[in-house]
Amino acid sequence: MPRIDRIVVEGVTRTFDGVTALRGVNAELRAGEIVALEGPNGAGKSTLLAVLATVIRPTFGRVVYDPIGDDPEGVRPELGWVAHESLLYRELSGRENVELAARLYGTDDAAACDRAFARVEASGFVDRRVGSLSRGMRQRIALARALVHSPSVLLLDEPWTGLDAASATLLERELVRERERGTLVVVVTHAADQAERIGARKLRLERGRVVTAS
């Protein structure tokens, strides 16, 4: 599977029961950069991220993932996704959650899981049931799950929420590390200083439209 080296968003509009969340969004995102989606609540940031993640489809327009194309099934193996909530199976251990994801991605490799746990410093609690973990611990497991198959695109929705200082620092370190290995990282954030700390290019949305891109 070729790695994604560019995402082109072409006139994407998304409506929900008559409410327009995205309005003709155009953007180009390239490998080896971090892009911070900024804007007020309700601006469409999380909706755009979900469209990029192929979790939801545009009502109009399309997203092209060069060189793969615009087929969601074709691009999903190259995507790593961390939602606002961890979406982990709470009755399973952290290890079981990540191993399940690895198998689904075709990376049935215990060593790959161990490397992901080591990167997010989760080795000490991966065998505990997810339901017993703090939010910061759950987010580390979710990040390990997103990284286990070495995706070429990493998408994160407000990943700093509820993290202590140590977990936030680890998150920022890993996002920069992914950019340095050529990954395209797209992250939703409300705080300008977070984008600046990780050297992100900013894409600001308001009322479903891109108003500034830097």
Side-chain angles (χ1 to χ4, degrees), residues 21-35:
L22 296 173
R23 304 170 187 268
V25 171
N26 295 289
E28 183 174 321
L29 317 172
R30 292 187 172 273
E33 69 173 354
I34 302 175
V35 178

Side-chain angles (χ1 to χ4, degrees), residues 168-188:
T169 298
L170 181 146
L171 170 67
E172 292 165 10
R173 181 194 73 198
E174 291 307 315
L175 297 186
V176 171
R177 181 176 176 182
E178 282 301 300
R179 180 190 63 197
E180 291 172 347
R181 66 181 287 269
T183 303
L184 167 57
V185 179
V186 186
V187 57
V188 172

Side-chain angles (χ1 to χ4, degrees), residues 134-137 140 159-171:
S134 69
R135 176 175 172 83
M137 290 175 176
R140 292 191 192 207
W160 284 273
T161 303
L163 297 188
D164 59 23
S167 294
T169 298
L170 181 146
L171 170 67

Side-chain angles (χ1 to χ4, degrees), residues 58-100:
T59 306
F60 304 106
R62 67 174 187 157
V63 180
V64 179
Y65 304 79
D66 285 340
I68 298 172
D70 61 1
D71 175 28
E73 295 298 326
V75 303
R76 282 175 186 149
E78 285 299 311
L79 306 179
W81 165 248
V82 179
H84 183 58
E85 296 296 332
S86 67
L87 303 181
L88 298 167
Y89 293 102
R90 295 176 65 89
E91 69 276 13
L92 300 180
S93 69
R95 183 182 302 279
E96 289 169 331
N97 271 274
V98 176
E99 288 177 345
L100 174 60

Side-chain angles (χ1 to χ4, degrees), residues 35-157:
V35 178
L37 303 181
E38 297 185 337
N41 290 335
K45 306 180 299 297
S46 293
T47 301
L48 178 56
L49 195 77
V51 168
L52 296 177
T54 74
V55 174
I56 59 176
R57 294 194 176 206
T59 306
F60 304 106
R62 67 174 187 157
V63 180
V64 179
Y65 304 79
D66 285 340
I68 298 172
D70 61 1
D71 175 28
E73 295 298 326
V75 303
R76 282 175 186 149
E78 285 299 311
L79 306 179
W81 165 248
V82 179
H84 183 58
E85 296 296 332
S86 67
L87 303 181
L88 298 167
Y89 293 102
R90 295 176 65 89
E91 69 276 13
L92 300 180
S93 69
R95 183 182 302 279
E96 289 169 331
N97 271 274
V98 176
E99 288 177 345
L100 174 60
R103 288 195 295 273
L104 292 174
Y105 282 118
T107 311
D108 193 4
D109 181 355
C113 295
D114 288 338
R115 285 193 297 271
F117 296 139
R119 284 187 62 178
V120 302
E121 299 178 10
S123 301
F125 52 83
V126 293
D127 293 310
R128 288 172 52 185
R129 189 174 60 85
V130 164
S132 71
L133 302 178
S134 69
R135 176 175 172 83
M137 290 175 176
R138 293 195 302 271
Q139 284 297 88
R140 292 191 192 207
I141 297 296
L143 182 57
R145 181 184 58 188
L147 294 172
V148 70
H149 60 299
S150 299
S152 52
V153 177
L154 183 60
L155 306 162
L156 308 98
D157 193 356

